[in-house]
Amino acid sequence: MLDCGLDMTSTLNFLPLPLVQSPRLSNLPGWSLKDGNVFLDKELKECSGHVFVDSVPEFCLPETELIDLSTVDVILISNYHCMMALPYITEHTGFTGTVYATEPTVQIGRLLMEELVNFIERVPKAQSASLWKNKDIQRLLPSPLKDAVEVSTWRRCYTMQEVNSALSKIQLVGYSQKIELFGAVQVTPLSSGYALGSSNWIIQSHYEKVSYVSGSSLLTTHPQPMDQASLKNSDVLILTGLTQIPTANPDGMVGEFCSNLALTVRNGGNVLVPCYPSGVIYDLLECLYQYIDSAGLSSIPFYFISPVANSSLEFSQIFAEWLCHNKQTKVYLPEPPFPHAELIQTNKLKHYPSIHGDFSNDFRQPCVVFTGHPSLRFGDVVHFMELWGKSSLNTVIFTEPDFSYLEALAPYQPLAMKCIYCPIDTRLNFIQVSKLLKEVQPLHVVCPEQYTQPPPAQSHRVDLMVDCQPPAMSYRRAEVLALPFKRRYEKIEIMPELADSLVPMEIKPGISLATVSAVLHTKDNKHVLQPPPRPAQPTGGKKRKRASDDIPDCKVLKPLLSGSIPVDQFVQTLEKHGFSDIKVEDTAKGHIVLLQEAETLIQIEEDSTHIICDDDEVLRVRLRDLVLKFLQKF
Amino acid sequence: MDPECARLLPALCAVLADPRQPVADDTCLEKLLDWFKAVTEAGSSLLLLQENPCLVELLFHVLKPQDLSSRILSFALRLAGTFAAQENCFQYLQGDPSLFVASAAGQLLVHVLDLAMRGPAKGHGRLQAQDWPACAQRIVCHLEDCLCSEAAPRVTQALHVLTTAFGHCHGLWTQGLWVQLSPLVARLLEKDPMPAPHALVELLLSVARSSVPSSNPGLWETAAQTLSRLSPMQAGPLAAGILKLQDCPQALRTQAFGVLLRPLACVLEATAQAPGTPGLLEGAAGDPMAVDMLPPSKSACVGLLCSTLAHLELLQPLPQRPSPWPQAPLLAAAVTILRFCNGSAAPSSEVGGRLCAMLVGCVRVQRAALDFLGVLSQGLGPRELVTQVFAVLLEYLMSPDSSPTVLKKAFQATLRWLLSSAVPPGCCDLEPRAQLVLRELLAVLQKRLCSPCWEVRDSGLEFLTQMTRRWGGQAGFRQTLLASEVPKLASQLLQDPESYVRASAVAAAGQLSSQGLLAAPSSPEHPAGPQKTPLEELLLVLTTDSEGFPRRAAMRVFTEWLRDGHMAVAEDRERFMARVLQAASGDLDWEVRVQGLELALIFLQQLLGARSPGAAPPGALAQALRALCRVQLFEFAFRSLFDCDRPVAQKSCDLLLFLRAKAAPSSSPQEAGDSPDVAPVEAALQRWRAGEQGQPLGELAPEAVLAVLRSMDLEALRDTLAESSDHVERSPQSLLQDVLAAVGVLGDNEADCY
């Protein structure tokens, strides 16, 4: 199984979970059907024309119906965003296999899960809505609830216990490490340049190679650069995790982010940045580190609020070997690789586990707050949206590309605060993909259907699709795809003593052949040729050993023939041996030599020779021997 | 030639003739040639050779087969060409692998041809080819061989030689030459691929600019054929060249214009919603079927569009540009290209889809199209198109993806369109539409001034300064500007970490303040700090900024303020002058000091009257002198006379000369016999001249100043200063010494090796 991501956009259908009692949210009117029926008004609330489920938010799980997940042997994880559904799979499907991931992926993935669990568990919700999921009722609901897919499979968030159990099933791996899977294939993680510890995977046998490219970046940000060279010579390259906003250039967006931030703060407003506790935030803090002095913002406090803020900031500094070269060299100076250490030291950046406690004492405005969750449905961000939403001086800047910002804002409408959308997605765009594919040259590319056509809203942008030769094979949800290669060869090992006994014969310059008689021993998908057992010596009267019963019969081998028959010379030879009235016909595959008198036909082709004569065995053997004269035997 | 150079010349010739003493730097050979050219122009070459036999020896020596470097050979031949044509050595030279030598040989050929033809042609008008001198016939024969050659480099060489010949020689014989060679040139057009297309275009343009076309209209036919045979990319320079000609057949001009318009017509066609939309090529001799002529590769397509836009940009302001000028379709094409580049164009054909993929995000095309769009502001356009122009410019200004250079061009183009949209022409008020644009523009500017990229902040400030200069007095503009954060942000940028930005912020603040538009600066850093006036702010920049650019900018603002009578200056002009001069006189940057003297000169002119010629009235002079003494102008000016930077000394000289002219001898306020004590001043000047700048001048009496001024030979000083500072180093004597010294050093090294 490649990756194990969680679709969190389902939470956008739910009301936010406020940290502090919100009169606005609790007084929202219940929703009633057109005919005035109010039986759903406890479950569904209406806010500025949108309807939301008033319940604990639920998540959309990976497809579990298509295959029996208990039969999955291995899950390969590419980055910490792609493992958020792991507890659902490892704890509830009978999964008994192994999960492979790099250390930063596991550590930061744990932080993300911990934050998620914390955000949801610290605001217990008495009510759990399920009536609306009834198919007959769902049909009556307004969009987007009406169109939500597979709502019956949506699940509440997992617990910390499940997280710990899931993570315990992960085997840590390092970049370029080769891991044998049952002797059948070897898997190797490669740096993908997108996030700390993020990987692409190579799955290869001796003669076939499949690359799985997911969430990769060619930009110079904090992680180790992408390893492109190792992806070369792939039979199939599975391409996923491209940028979600192909038209937004990350550099431009960072500039936009800084400008809007400065503009707001200079006017005395506050800036709210809904974000994940790891990833782009490191780069944003680094940009701000360089920018705040130039923009005259050195006295503005920056707050980072997350239950895992401290761990995230500290973890980032210790994964030196997973960082880009510049940051690695800093470690040897020794300096902290990320400048946020200095921001913390100089008190410009302060971090808190939540808005409760120390934060409320230190809180100063105007300020900039980084906090989760980017869906605006849970986490401390809900509080700041309620607090700052009423003033047009304040600004919320969306940098995470995972959620539609308009949908995220829907339950906060009407909103006076300014909203800026600067999605920063450093993953590959289509230009980079096309360069990558030219460089790597896989025989076939396999990718989601969406990548093979321009975005629906910009159908003229043919530059916004994967362009490669041969055209990429695309797949859609729940589609079963046969990868375009066959396993034709297996590698077989020859035991040294057997190899010693071989006598190769050169049949063409540079090509030697030898006949081998051996026992093929196959175990764990490994094949070994072992010397055949010696024929048992007849030991007068004694019973044969039992073990030799298993030995296959070694028939007397006929010699192998090689070479080609020069027709002219062959005809001359025939004439020399008394055959006359010989006629030669050329065919598509070779020649036919007709011995008209003898009513015999010799059919010579590249890989076969047939002597067709009418029941005259003596003649056939004679002719055969003449043919054999032209061939080598060994 | 001066005797000192003549003395050095034999040694120099010996060095040049010696293959064991390589001349390290061939620029000195070029300089030597320049010098010889100057010497021969000034006097007789023959005499020069007679007086300096070493030169003849050198030339003879070089002609002997030996192991001389090609650069010395080339030098000697060009030298020989300068003295008199040496006919016998050009042919084997022309194929030299060094471009330098080949081009020199080509020039030599032309020179020889010209000399050979000048004599006979004088008397007889045009000669038949068979009557040409043997030498000329040999050269033409050589060129004919080359033109018929299958080797492209030989064809190129011949075309280069011909280009030079038609470009530099104006004799009637050139017409004969063209008659002789044009069939061969025309034959080149039939080859596939056409050899040396660039050189061919150069030649045709060179011939077209010469006197040939007047007698030989066949040239136009060849040009027309060439236009249709060349690829769009190759034809562009020829088409542009033809359109720039003063005199050429209309049909050819139409064809050439069609060539330039065709790529843009393709662009328009690619987005045309309905077939038959008025295109660019109507009226032009374009082939409507050729719209799919854009090259398939991205780099070629980008190159073609950029060069087309650049040609049209250069053509637009020329009086001989094609008429009627298709302003509206060109505007539409420029807008469409910009929309392709930002992905907002809706292609209506397959070509359009391809264009879209090739142009999205292409900075080169964006820059070229924005420049072109800016130039098109000189003409009018249909209302809805102008609306589109502003819309696309705003899109570029707003887009986070616009690169800093693109943004700068977008600002420039916007300014030009705003300037052109004032109605009626000449009225300084913005029309209502521009007023609307302005509001959005200021919102963008606000954000751009906060950009993390300093280039963006810088071009934003420049744009603001220019807008304010143009419309600062206009009520609508003032109102919109004051309602925005822009003035506040601009003054905050006086503290920008980037010195270029600070300099631009100084200029912007100066302009805003002149118009009374500058809000008192305050930042979130110092919300309640004491607020400084703009004058104080800029003085602070002048006295404390560590970089030169902002200080220079501050001086320029002060100069402008003084000239325009800015309120903050007018309040107490003397105090202002005293403070600024004090800061400027001690500045380490010479440009600041020059600007300080410029400021002083304006002050002086304001006191004494710049326009009125002759001396100032005595009363006014005395008053002025006292004021000048109070602001300590003289100490600054006198000290600057001995400034180690020449422009400062020159400026000071001009200033003092102006003052002396205003103070005529008769207008001396001093009674005869009561001469002032000038000894301390002169002593101080002496010491400054000797480099002891630390010495103060002390109190000055106006009378003493005048006396010193009159006693100084300022004219002589001005003449000395007018000599370039490196006049000693650039003398031929110094050049010869350098060449010898360099060789001497090489010799020393050789000895060391032993």
Side-chain angles (χ1 to χ4, degrees), chain A residues 6 59 84 101 106 127 146 162 169 190 208 258 275 286 382 424 429 451 525 531 552-553 599 611:
Chain A
L6 189 61
F59 304 100
M84 297 297 282
V106 177
Q127 177 176 331
K146 184 173 68 177
E162 288 168 324
K169 298 184 170 75
L190 305 172
E208 294 86 18
C258 290
C275 62
E286 184 153 358
V382 176
I424 299 172
N429 63 30
Y451 295 166
N525 296 306
D553 291 337
E599 286 182 14
I611 299 167

Side-chain angles (χ1 to χ4, degrees), chain A residues 247-256 258-260 262-263 265-267 291 293-300 366 431 458 460-463, chain B residues 342-347 353-354 356-357 360 398-401 446-452 457 485 488-489 492-493 495-497 523-525:
Chain A
T247 50
N249 158 25
D251 284 338
M253 287 300 152
V254 169
E256 196 77 356
C258 290
S259 309
N260 283 298
L263 208 55
V265 175
R266 280 178 169 166
N267 279 330
Y291 177 67
D293 287 332
S294 76
L297 303 175
S298 336
S299 65
I300 300 298
I431 297 173
Q458 291 162 297
H460 64 282
R461 294 291 298 270
V462 288
D463 56 316
Chain B
N342 74 1
S344 66
R354 228 176 62 213
C356 175
V360 157
M398 283 174 186
S399 165
D401 287 342
Q446 205 162 287
K447 198 172 72 188
R448 293 302 184 187
L449 291 180
C450 294
S451 167
R457 301 197 295 273
E485 298 289 319
K488 202 165 97 186
L489 287 170
Q492 278 175 13
L493 289 174
Q495 266 91 44
D496 199 277
S523 66
E525 303 277 276

Side-chain angles (χ1 to χ4, degrees), chain A residues 342-602:
Chain A
E342 197 184 318
L343 288 175
I344 295 170
Q345 258 172 18
T346 52
N347 260 338
K348 287 175 184 164
L349 173 67
K350 296 181 180 183
H351 54 88
Y352 305 88
S354 91
I355 52 167
H356 300 299
D358 290 347
F359 174 71
S360 35
N361 301 328
D362 299 351
F363 184 47
R364 243 180 344 108
Q365 304 189 72
C367 65
V368 179
V369 170
F370 293 88
T371 190
H373 187 273
S375 65
L376 304 191
R377 292 301 179 271
F378 36 83
D380 302 86
V381 74
V382 176
H383 177 72
F384 287 101
M385 285 303 296
E386 293 286 328
L387 185 70
W388 290 344
K390 292 173 219 71
S391 165
S392 62
L393 281 180
N394 303 325
T395 306
V396 53
I397 309 183
F398 291 87
T399 57
E400 300 288 355
D402 288 352
F403 301 92
S404 143
Y405 78 105
L406 289 174
E407 284 182 47
L409 288 170
Y412 298 94
Q413 300 293 358
L415 199 66
M417 128 192 251
K418 282 195 284 287
C419 303
I420 307 287
Y421 183 54
C422 311
I424 299 172
D425 195 334
T426 58
R427 287 174 288 183
L428 299 177
N429 63 30
F430 290 99
I431 297 173
Q432 292 162 338
V433 164
S434 123
K435 278 189 190 148
L436 174 75
L437 293 180
K438 272 193 194 121
E439 174 79 22
V440 170
Q441 295 200 321
L443 290 184
H444 300 278
V445 175
V446 173
C447 65
E449 193 181 29
Q450 290 89 329
Y451 295 166
T452 59
Q453 54 212 21
Q458 291 162 297
S459 55
H460 64 282
R461 294 291 298 270
V462 288
D463 56 316
L464 301 183
M465 55 188 267
V466 171
D467 176 26
C468 62
Q469 278 310 321
M473 292 180 67
S474 65
Y475 59 86
R476 58 176 77 181
R477 188 191 160 99
E479 187 178 350
V480 178
L481 207 68
L483 292 187
F485 66 84
K486 281 199 177 109
R487 299 196 64 172
R488 290 174 192 277
Y489 300 105
E490 283 290 347
K491 199 165 209 165
I492 294 178
E493 211 174 284
I494 300 183
M495 298 290 282
E497 54 268 42
L498 178 62
D500 259 356
S501 71
L502 300 182
V503 186
M505 211 174 101
E506 192 166 49
I507 55 152
K508 269 186 197 168
I511 297 179
S512 300
L513 293 180
T515 52
V516 188
S517 301
V519 173
L520 178 66
H521 185 263
T522 296
K523 186 185 172 190
D524 287 346
N525 296 306
K526 292 258 176 274
H527 313 287
V528 182
L529 280 182
Q530 296 173 342
R534 290 165 203 284
Q537 299 292 324
T539 46
K542 280 192 183 170
K543 234 185 168 179
R544 278 206 292 176
K545 275 185 185 166
R546 179 117 183 97
S548 47
D549 282 348
D550 297 340
I551 297 167
D553 291 337
C554 298
K555 288 181 184 159
V556 178
L557 291 167
K558 287 183 182 169
L560 296 172
L561 302 173
S562 72
S564 59
I565 302 165
V567 178
D568 293 344
Q569 289 177 33
F570 180 58
V571 172
Q572 283 170 17
T573 311
L574 287 174
E575 283 168 348
K576 231 183 260 173
H577 284 81
F579 293 97
S580 57
D581 204 6
I582 303 168
K583 205 174 150 196
V584 179
E585 276 176 23
D586 288 347
T587 66
K589 291 179 174 174
H591 310 276
I592 292 176
V593 179
L594 277 170
L595 307 178
Q596 294 184 353
E597 205 175 296
E599 286 182 14
T600 294
L601 191 147
I602 306 168

Side-chain angles (χ1 to χ4, degrees), chain A residues 28-84:
Chain A
L28 287 176
W31 182 79
S32 54
L33 288 164
K34 273 188 194 137
D35 59 6
N37 199 327
V38 293
F39 74 101
L40 278 168
D41 73 341
K42 289 275 177 298
E43 292 203 351
L44 302 181
K45 303 284 179 193
E46 198 168 344
C47 176
S48 301
H50 292 265
V51 177
F52 299 94
V53 182
D54 187 10
S55 173
V56 187
E58 293 178 343
F59 304 100
C60 181
L61 272 52
E63 180 64 53
T64 52
E65 304 293 312
L66 203 61
I67 53 163
D68 179 359
L69 288 170
S70 67
T71 64
V72 170
D73 296 309
V74 167
I75 302 178
L76 304 178
I77 301 291
S78 2
N79 62 65
Y80 45 77
H81 287 297
C82 293
M83 59 183 280
M84 297 297 282

